[in-house]
Amino acid sequence: MPTLEIDGHTVCQSAAINSYLAETFGLNGANASERLVINQVCETLNDFWNDYIEVWKNKTLDSDQKNAAFAELLVKETTKLKLSFLESLLKRNHDGHGYFVGDSITLGDLVFFHTTGMVDKSLLNDFPLLTELNNRVRHSAELKSYLDNRTHPPMP
């Protein structure tokens, strides 16, 4: 379980930690309308992630069956609907050639990057604006050095 220690207190729950850090580091949008978009992005990705984790945790499937189930999840109509929705949100800001809101990375962009980085890259094949966003975040000055030098691999 993800945890964060703040002033000697352990905090848990990813969404609570993400929200706290986004607020602390100015990644939570400039106003309520931007936070609404960020929250929509995060909740949509959370829905997708829950489906993904359900397969990952399924002890009745061997690795080949899990791989087949993951591949099926990536092309399901509900997954495509979620990605279409995300791309429509992205397109509202700078016609999709920036970030979900504003002119810099926010929590929504980070959650998107993290979640899509955990699954097969083919997930975004039909979504060029989301693919561009993933590349923009990956190569941002703020993250590039960390991502190039991190020592722990992403989750399988």
Side-chain angles (χ1 to χ4, degrees), residues 1-144:
M1 168 187 340
T3 62
L4 176 68
E5 188 172 318
I6 304 168
D7 299 328
H9 299 281
T10 300
V11 178
C12 59
Q13 295 296 340
S14 297
I17 292 168
N18 286 348
S19 180
Y20 172 81
L21 292 174
E23 193 67 31
T24 300
F25 293 104
L27 302 172
N28 209 21
N31 55 50
S33 294
E34 287 188 0
R35 283 187 291 283
L36 178 62
V37 172
I38 292 167
N39 287 336
Q40 288 178 93
V41 169
C42 292
E43 289 301 315
T44 301
L45 290 163
N46 188 51
D47 289 346
F48 169 75
W49 191 245
N50 286 338
D51 294 341
Y52 191 86
I53 290 298
E54 190 175 307
V55 172
W56 188 62
K57 287 183 174 182
N58 188 333
K59 298 199 184 300
T60 66
L61 302 177
D62 65 29
S63 67
D64 289 339
Q65 291 170 318
K66 281 185 181 184
N67 287 338
F70 285 138
E72 184 179 317
L73 175 62
L74 298 182
V75 297
K76 276 180 70 173
E77 188 61 29
T78 54
T79 300
K80 297 296 182 184
L81 286 171
K82 289 174 178 95
L83 293 170
S84 293
F85 174 65
L86 291 174
E87 196 161 72
S88 74
L89 289 176
L90 180 61
K91 195 164 184 157
R92 290 183 195 173
N93 189 41
H94 300 298
D95 204 29
H97 298 289
Y99 300 99
F100 282 111
V101 298
D103 294 320
S104 59
I105 292 173
T106 65
L107 175 61
D109 304 299
L110 292 174
V111 170
F112 169 77
F113 177 76
H114 172 73
T115 303
T116 58
M118 300 293 241
V119 300
D120 190 278
K121 292 187 186 322
S122 67
L123 174 69
L124 300 179
N125 281 352
D126 297 330
F127 301 92
L129 293 177
L130 294 177
T131 299
E132 286 177 25
L133 173 63
N134 218 349
N135 290 330
R136 234 181 335 279
V137 173
R138 168 72 178 89
H139 297 289
S140 68
E142 300 89 350
L143 293 177
K144 186 169 179 17

Side-chain angles (χ1 to χ4, degrees), residues 140-154:
S140 68
E142 300 89 350
L143 293 177
K144 186 169 179 17
S145 176
Y146 165 75
L147 293 171
D148 288 346
N149 295 303
R150 71 178 164 185
T151 58
H152 62 282

